[in-house]
Amino acid sequence: MATTKNGKQPAHRPSRRQHIISAAVRVFGRNGFAETSIQDIADEAQVVPTAVYYHFDGKDELLELAMRRVFDQLNEVVEAARPATEPGDAESLLRVIDAVWEWVEQNPDEARIYQVQVASASGNVKVLRDEFEQRHIQRGYDYLPEGTTRNPRTAKARHAAQALAVRTLISTTMLVTALRAEGGPLSQLPSRAVLEAVRSLALRIVAAEQTPTKPAGARV
């Protein structure tokens, strides 16, 4: 591999851009955004800082691209795990949970930056996060059974309950997944035990939506 006189790699190689983004993923995941400098990223990538600026405007763009990589990877994992989902397909839900769990284990750097950055996202990263969450919330309705009621008030109440169920399902699954990444609050717990707890909670949420609710005033 060619290097400059100071041992750093040259700026203009075609693969350098992705190499620097990979370095940014690792550094942002370890240090967070505020505590990371362009010099830190350059050192991680083994390039000079001017090489970073050759490809990127600065830290904000690098963080956005690093998080975009994470969201794109997760989208691919989820889509591969649920190629065709029928309403109420709990097995598809479990496949998605297992697939994301495996992704975390195979991609600790990406999982760590998700854990560190997603809750405090702002600017373009917040837009990416919101789009990501909304995409999976909309797809989350596929895991719930189809409603058959024709009563408008009952249908409205059911939609509200399902919306809450889906948001709880997606946000809880992703939060626990992030917290169990290396260095996270759940990282010291047995992985299999945490996974089974997440699977069980997901199935309980889906089962609750499959249980018909008695109309007000109905006799038991």
Side-chain angles (χ1 to χ4, degrees):
M1 181 180 295
T3 59
T4 61
K5 290 182 179 180
N6 61 4
K8 303 294 186 179
Q9 298 173 20
H12 57 274
R13 283 182 169 233
S15 62
R16 191 66 62 234
R17 184 178 173 86
Q18 292 305 316
H19 178 72
I20 294 172
I21 293 174
S22 296
V25 167
R26 295 191 294 272
V27 179
F28 284 136
R30 288 197 304 263
N31 303 341
F33 180 79
E35 299 301 319
T36 294
S37 68
I38 290 296
Q39 182 68 60
D40 294 330
I41 296 171
D43 290 344
E44 182 75 19
Q46 295 186 319
V47 299
V48 294
T50 52
V52 178
Y53 285 113
Y54 179 87
H55 291 283
F56 309 99
D57 291 336
K59 282 202 314 179
D60 288 313
E61 184 185 9
L62 273 166
L63 179 62
E64 178 184 348
L65 293 171
M67 292 305 296
R68 186 181 294 276
R69 173 185 289 187
V70 171
F71 292 137
D72 286 347
Q73 287 184 6
L74 282 169
N75 286 336
E76 291 176 4
V77 166
V78 171
E79 292 306 315
R82 44 161 295 165
T85 302
E86 298 295 330
D89 185 0
E91 287 302 315
S92 179
L93 170 60
L94 294 182
R95 287 196 302 272
V96 168
I97 291 173
D98 291 347
V100 173
W101 208 261
E102 183 178 356
W103 175 85
V104 169
E105 294 185 345
Q106 294 180 350
N107 300 273
D109 294 324
E110 284 79 1
R112 192 181 304 109
I113 192 176
Y114 181 96
Q115 172 199 334
V116 170
Q117 296 296 334
V118 76
S120 59
S122 60
N124 289 341
V125 174
K126 182 179 184 301
V127 172
L128 289 174
R129 183 200 66 188
D130 292 347
E131 290 175 350
F132 173 82
E133 291 182 348
Q134 191 59 36
R135 170 182 179 145
H136 291 285
I137 286 171
Q138 290 298 321
R139 298 299 297 272
Y141 283 97
D142 292 343
Y143 304 125
L144 304 181
E146 287 184 311
T148 57
T149 179
R150 295 185 179 181
N151 184 305
R153 294 187 63 184
T154 303
K156 185 176 181 179
R158 180 179 178 81
H159 178 76
Q162 286 191 331
L164 178 60
V166 169
R167 287 186 175 276
T168 302
L169 176 64
I170 301 303
S171 61
T172 301
T173 301
M174 293 307 303
L175 178 60
V176 173
T177 298
L179 293 177
R180 65 170 284 268
E182 182 180 348
L186 302 181
S187 61
Q188 299 303 312
L189 297 178
S191 177
R192 189 67 195 179
V194 180
L195 173 58
E196 290 302 328
V198 173
R199 291 170 114 250
S200 177
L201 175 60
L203 290 178
R204 287 174 68 88
I205 292 173
V206 171
E209 288 305 309
Q210 292 174 329
T211 304
T213 303
K214 293 182 179 296
R219 293 183 178 181
V220 178

